C-alpha cells in the first residue's frame, strides 16, 4: 500500500480538477501526479537515501512527498527555523539526500558532494521535464514513507518514522474518497515539516478537496486567501486562531471585513486551546463547525477529536460537565484504542490521570533507532491525561511536566485551570521548581489581563488551596508580560523553569 | 493475499487494492480476480453486475476481507460466491 495511490485515484477520477493553489498558481491533480512521477524518476536516478525539503509549503512539497513515495525513498521535511548547528547535524544524518529548498544554507551547513541540492523552482521544473517519460508504476509501499525529526528538547532529535501502512490506515479510516464537493477548498497554513502539514496534503487529496497553501502565516494573508478563494475548511494552531480573531476585531485585512461565508469548518490542534478563545471563536463564527484534533507525529496525526456538534453543545450548555468538554480533545477515533495507565503500567479507571497509551494501525511509535511500542502494540505518548465517564479525553500536559512533590504527582493543568478562572489572569502556567523539603514544588507564572491590576500572590495561593489540596499551592509565584511559546503554539515549559532558576 | 496487492477483474474494468484478506477466492462479476489483466474480458452475470464504486471499501460479513476499489467497473465483488458489501463508515469531520 503506497500513499501515492491517493493522488493516483484523485487524478484518475478528475484529472483536470484543481488540487492545489499556491502563490496564485493552480495545479490540477494530473499536474501534481505528473510532477510526482517525474520527481520519482529524479530520485531514483540520484541514488539518494532520503528526499528532504528545507522550504516553506508549496507545490514542491506535494511533488516531493508523492515522488519520494513512488520511488520508495523516505521523505524528510526539515524545520527551517532550526539554528544552523542543529540543522547541520540533521543534514549529516540524512546524507546522501536529494534536498529541495534553501540551496545556499544546505551547502554552507553540509558541504558534501554526496547530496543533490535543488531550489524549489529547479526541482519543480526538472520533475515536470522528467514527467514525460517517467514510469507510472511506483514501489510497493512496504517501507518508510516519512521521517520526521522530533524537536529534541533534552537530547538529540529522534527520527520518527511513519510507514506507508500507518498513513494509509489513517487516511482510509478518517477520510471518505472524493467526499468533498468541487467548490470546497482547505486552507493549509501549518508548516510542511509538521505532521499536520503532511496529513493535510494526504487528507485533502484523498477527499479531493482543493488545497489552498499559505506558505508563510500572517492573519492578514490568511483572511485574504480564505476570502478570495472561498475556503470551506481550515486547520489552525491556537495562536493562529487568536491572531486571526484579533485582526478581524480590528476590521480585517486591508481595512475591509473579509467575506468568510464559505468557511464551514475550522479544525485546530497542535497546542492547548485557551477555553476563552474557543468560546470567542464560536460566537464570532456562528455558522462554522469547529473540530479539535489531538494527535502526535508518531500516531500519523489525529487519534481523538471533538466534533462540531459537541463544540456547540458545550458552548451553549449550563451543565458544568457538558461545558467542560470544550477543554477536552474529544473521543478516540473508532479505529484506535486509548488507555490511561499509571507508572506501573496498570490501566486506570475513568477520571484518574496518568499517561496516555494508544494502539492502532495508524500508530507507528517507531524511531530509526528503536520502536517505542510495547509487546502488545501500545504506544506510550508521554502525554498525561484522563478520560471522563462519557469517554472524553482531557490532556494535562506532558508526562515529563508532572510535578512530583514529596512523592505526590501533580499535573500542571489542574492548577492552571483553577488560576485561569481569576478574572485578572490572562494566562497561567505551573512548573516544577526544585525544593529542599519536597524534592519538587509548584512554581506558578501568571500573565495579568490587560486593564486589570495583577492579582495578589496570596490571593492566588488561597484560590488553589480552596479548590484543590494544600500540596497544590504554589511555593513561588512570578508575574510576566507573556509566556514563551514555539511557532506552533506549544508552551515552552523548559523556558519557564529557567525564569524560576534565574 | 498480501495487503497492497492490486487485483484486476476478468469481467469488467474493476480494480481493487487488498487491505486485508484471508483464505478464499476474491471474485468480480463471478470470476476470480488476478494480478494480471486477462487478454479477453468476459461479461459479468446479470445477478453479479451491480457494479463497483471508486474509493469504496468492500467487506465480508466476518470482516476477514477488505478491498478498496481503485477503478470502478460493472461487476460485483464476492469471495467464494458470497457477495461483499460496502463498508459503512461513520463520516468524521475533517481534522487536518
Amino acid at each position: 500500500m503506497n500513499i501515492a495511490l491517493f493522488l493516483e485515484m484523485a487524478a484518475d477520477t478528475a484529472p483536470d480538477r484543481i488540487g492545489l493553489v499556491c502563490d496564485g498558481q493552480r495545479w490540477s491533480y494530473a499536474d501534481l501526479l505528473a510532477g510526482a512521477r517525474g520527481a520519482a524518476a529524479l530520485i531514483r536516478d540520484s541514488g539518494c537515501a532520503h528526499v528532504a525539503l528545507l522550504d516553506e509549503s508549496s507545490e514542491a512539497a506535494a511533488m516531493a512527498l508523492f515522488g519520494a513515495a513512488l520511488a520508495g525513498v523516505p521523505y524528510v521535511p526539515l524545520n527551517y527555523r532550526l539554528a544552523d548547528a542543529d540543522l547541520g547535524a540533521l543534514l549529516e544524518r540524512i546524507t546522501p539526500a536529494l534536498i529541495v529548498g534553501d540551496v545556499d544554507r544546505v551547502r554552507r551547513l553540509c558541504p558534501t558532494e554526496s547530496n543533490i541540492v535543488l531550489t524549489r523552482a529547479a526541482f519543480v521544473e526538472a520533475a515536470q521535464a522528467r514527467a514525460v517519460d517517467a514510469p507510472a508504476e511506483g514501489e510497493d509501499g512496504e517501507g518508510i514513507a516519512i521521517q520526521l525529526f522530533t524537536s529534541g528538547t533534552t537530547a538529540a532529535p529522534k527520527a520518527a518514522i511513519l510507514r506507508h501502512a500507518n498513513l494509509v490506515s489513517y487516511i482510509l479510516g478518517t477520510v471518505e474518497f472524493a467526499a468533498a464537493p468541487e467548490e470546497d477548498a482547505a486552507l493549509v497554513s501549518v508548516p510542511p515539516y509538521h505532521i499536520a502539514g503532511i496529513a493535510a496534503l494526504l487528507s485533502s487529496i484523498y477527499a479531493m478537496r482543493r488545497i489552498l497553501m499559505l506558505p508563510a502565516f500572517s492573519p492578514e494573508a490568511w483572511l485574504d486567501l480564505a476570502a478570495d478563494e472561498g475556503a470551506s475548511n481550515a486547520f489552525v494552531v491556537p495562536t493562529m486562531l487568536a491572531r486571526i480573531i484579533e485582526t478581524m476585531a480590528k476590521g480585517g485585512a486591508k481595512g475591509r471585513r473579509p467575506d468568510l461565508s464559505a468557511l464551514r469548518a475550522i479544525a485546530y490542534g497542535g497546542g492547548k486551546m485557551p477555553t476563552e478563545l474557543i468560546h470567542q471563536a464560536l460566537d464570532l463564527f456562528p455558522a462554522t463547525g469547529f473540530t479539535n484534533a489531538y494527535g502526535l507525529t508518531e500516531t500519523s496525526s489525529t487519534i481523538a477529536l471533538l466534533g462540531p456538534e459537541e463544540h456547540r453543545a458545550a458552548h451553549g450548555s449550563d451543565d458544568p460537565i457538558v461545558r467542560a468538554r470544550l477543554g477536552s480533545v474529544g473521543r478516540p477515533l473508532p479505529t484506535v484504542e486509548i488507555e490511561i495507565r499509571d507508572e506501573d503500567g496498570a490501566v486506570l479507571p475513568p477520571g484518574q490521570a496518568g499517561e496516555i497509551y494508544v494502539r492502532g494501525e495508524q500508530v507507528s511509535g517507531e524511531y530509526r533507532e528503536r520502536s517505542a511500542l510495547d509487546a502488545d502494540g501500545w504506544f506510550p505518548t508521554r502525554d498525561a491525561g484522563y478520560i471522563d465517564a462519557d469517554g472524553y479525553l482531557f490532556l494535562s500536559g506532558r508526562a515529563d511536566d508532572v510535578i512530583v512533590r514529596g512523592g505526590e504527582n501533580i499535573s500542571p493543568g489542574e492548577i492552571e485551570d483553577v488560576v485561569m478562572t481569576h478574572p485578572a489572569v490572562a494566562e497561567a502556567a505551573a512548573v516544577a521548581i526544585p525544593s529542599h523539603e519536597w524534592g519538587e514544588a509548584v512554581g506558578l507564572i501568571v500573565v495579568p489581563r490587560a486593564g486589570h491590576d495583577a492579582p495578589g500572590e496570596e490571593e492566588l495561593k488561597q484560590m488553589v488551596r480552596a479548590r484543590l489540596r494544600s500540596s497544590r499551592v504554589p511555593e513561588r509565584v512570578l508575574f510576566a508580560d507573556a509566556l514563551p511559546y514555539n511557532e506552533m503554539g506549544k508552551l515552552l515549559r523548559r523556558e519557564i523553569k529557567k525564569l524560576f532558576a534565574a | 493475499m498480501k495487503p497492497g496487492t492490486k487485483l484486476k477483474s476478468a469481467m469488467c474494468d474493476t480494480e481493487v487494492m487488498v487491505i486485508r484478506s484471508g483464505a478464499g477466492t476474491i471474485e468480480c462479476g463471478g470470476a476470480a480476480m488476478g494480478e494480471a489483466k486477462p487478454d479477453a474480458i468476459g461479461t459479468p452475470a446479470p445477478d453479479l453486475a451491480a457494479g463497483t464504486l471508486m474509493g469504496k471499501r468492500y467487506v465480508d460479513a466476518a470482516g476477514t476481507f477488505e478491498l478498496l476499489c481503485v477503478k470502478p467497473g460493472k461487476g460485483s465483488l464476492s469471495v467464494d460466491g458470497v457477495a461483499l458489501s460496502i463498508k459503512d463508515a461513520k463520516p468524521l469531520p475533517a481534522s487536518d
Side-chain angles (χ1 to χ4, degrees):
Chain A
M1 294 192 271
N2 189 313
I3 54 169
L5 175 73
F6 302 143
L7 180 56
E8 292 166 352
M9 288 170 71
D12 257 2
T13 301
D16 299 328
R17 204 197 276 189
I18 297 302
L20 191 150
V21 180
C22 184
D23 291 331
Q25 264 191 295
R26 309 176 89 78
W27 303 83
S28 70
Y29 290 111
D31 293 336
L32 294 173
L33 181 59
R37 284 177 176 162
L42 294 177
I43 293 162
R44 285 194 183 101
D45 291 349
S46 76
C48 63
H50 298 94
V51 175
L53 182 79
L54 184 67
D55 196 9
E56 293 176 340
S57 287
S58 76
E59 67 281 359
M63 291 178 192
L65 166 68
F66 291 110
L70 286 167
V73 175
Y75 171 61
V76 191
L78 295 166
N79 183 349
Y80 45 78
R81 289 189 171 94
L82 287 178
D84 280 354
D86 299 330
L87 182 61
L90 298 187
L91 287 169
E92 258 165 46
R93 283 169 70 178
I94 59 165
T95 300
L98 188 149
I99 306 171
V100 179
D102 192 339
V103 172
D104 293 343
R105 198 165 175 219
V106 173
R107 289 283 179 225
R108 183 164 55 80
L109 298 178
C110 189
T112 164
E113 294 303 311
S114 308
N115 292 327
I116 296 170
V117 194
L118 299 168
T119 62
R120 179 199 300 181
F123 169 72
V124 171
E125 199 181 313
Q128 286 177 296
R130 280 303 298 274
V132 185
D133 59 351
E137 282 301 302
E139 298 298 312
D140 57 13
E142 292 209 358
I144 298 166
I146 311 243
Q147 177 176 319
L148 286 175
F149 288 104
T150 61
S151 43
T153 49
T154 49
K158 283 186 286 188
I161 58 178
L162 295 172
R163 294 178 180 276
H164 286 273
N166 301 130
L167 292 160
V168 167
S169 164
Y170 171 63
I171 295 300
L172 294 183
T174 56
V175 184
E176 187 69 20
F177 177 70
E182 193 164 350
E183 63 276 13
D184 269 22
L187 204 169
V188 178
S189 51
V190 283
Y193 56 79
H194 192 275
I195 182 63
I198 293 166
L201 286 179
L202 298 175
S203 294
S204 294
I205 283 174
Y206 197 59
M208 293 188 72
R209 185 176 289 120
R210 187 166 76 256
I211 295 165
L212 309 174
M213 267 185 174
L214 182 60
F217 175 83
S218 76
E220 292 81 12
W222 191 95
L223 287 164
D224 281 346
L225 184 58
D228 294 347
E229 289 282 345
S232 59
N233 295 63
F235 178 89
V236 291
V237 298
T239 45
M240 289 176 183
L241 187 62
R243 293 180 62 197
I244 290 163
I245 288 176
E246 205 175 292
T247 305
M248 287 179 76
K250 286 187 213 144
K254 295 180 190 161
R256 63 173 164 93
R257 196 168 174 81
D259 175 14
L260 299 180
S261 55
L263 192 60
R264 288 198 317 273
I266 296 178
Y268 61 91
K272 190 175 164 67
M273 173 69 82
T275 314
E276 192 183 331
L277 179 61
I278 188 64
H279 277 296
Q280 205 183 344
L282 285 159
D283 284 332
L284 194 62
F285 297 96
T288 301
F290 283 83
T291 298
N292 183 4
Y294 164 62
L296 298 94
T297 300
E298 295 92 332
T299 61
S300 310
S301 197
T302 309
I303 53 172
L305 55 83
L306 186 77
E309 294 80 19
E310 294 161 314
H311 272 81
R312 291 292 164 195
H315 182 54
S317 178
D318 296 327
D319 180 343
I321 292 174
V322 176
R323 212 170 159 78
R325 282 181 196 149
L326 217 42
S328 81
V329 293
R331 287 189 273 205
L333 298 182
T335 42
V336 301
E337 301 166 87
I338 290 183
E339 282 182 359
I340 308 295
R341 299 190 191 173
D342 70 11
E343 278 162 29
D344 303 321
V347 178
L348 294 169
Q352 285 198 38
E355 185 176 350
I356 299 167
Y357 277 66
V358 58
R359 180 165 73 173
E361 288 177 15
Q362 72 181 68
V363 178
S364 129
E366 204 180 344
Y367 305 97
R368 269 286 180 190
E369 301 75 20
R370 66 184 184 96
S371 169
L373 299 183
D374 73 10
D376 298 316
W378 289 92
F379 173 62
T381 62
R382 300 305 292 148
D383 277 339
Y386 68 93
I387 295 175
D388 77 4
D390 297 307
Y392 288 85
L393 178 63
F394 289 76
L395 305 184
S396 44
R398 294 293 285 170
D400 308 295
D401 296 333
V402 167
I403 304 159
V404 187
R405 182 183 182 276
E408 193 178 350
N409 287 346
I410 301 170
S411 98
E414 55 179 322
I415 298 165
E416 290 159 7
D417 288 347
V418 169
V419 174
M420 289 288 286
T421 61
H422 193 294
V425 173
E427 291 177 83
V431 296
I433 55 171
S435 160
H436 283 300
E437 193 177 358
W438 302 103
E440 286 180 351
V442 177
L444 177 71
I445 188 162
V446 167
V447 178
R449 184 173 300 286
H452 288 257
D453 290 335
E457 187 173 332
E458 205 42 53
E459 189 186 353
L460 292 172
K461 288 181 176 175
Q462 183 50 39
M463 252 182 113
V464 176
R465 191 175 294 118
R467 298 271 294 276
L468 303 167
R469 269 167 280 173
S470 62
S471 60
R472 270 65 175 167
V473 175
E475 191 166 290
R476 285 181 65 199
V477 179
L478 292 181
F479 294 92
D481 295 335
L483 297 184
Y485 293 95
N486 74 4
E487 78 280 1
M488 290 296 289
K490 276 217 170 98
L491 183 64
L492 298 172
R493 289 180 192 272
R494 61 181 190 277
E495 298 297 323
I496 295 172
K497 286 183 185 177
K498 285 184 196 161
L499 297 175
F500 280 96
Chain B
M1 198 71 67
K2 233 172 45 180
T5 306
K6 267 191 195 167
L7 296 176
K8 298 178 170 74
S9 175
M11 294 297 194
C12 67
D13 294 332
T14 297
E15 287 182 27
V16 298
M17 196 188 72
V18 176
I19 297 173
R20 69 187 99 247
S21 74
T25 303
I26 299 170
E27 305 138 345
C28 178
M33 299 183 81
E35 292 187 51
K37 191 88 184 161
D39 293 334
I41 300 296
T43 308
D47 56 335
L48 293 166
T52 52
L53 297 169
M54 181 72 165
K56 292 291 178 195
R57 285 178 290 164
Y58 290 83
V59 290
D60 64 338
T64 311
F65 287 85
E66 184 168 337
L67 311 172
L68 174 69
C69 175
V70 297
K71 250 189 196 30
K74 292 196 171 72
S76 306
L77 295 169
S78 57
V79 170
D80 293 337
V82 181
L84 301 184
S85 56
I86 290 179
K87 185 169 183 172
D88 194 16
K90 187 171 149 264
L92 293 169
S95 67
D96 42 34

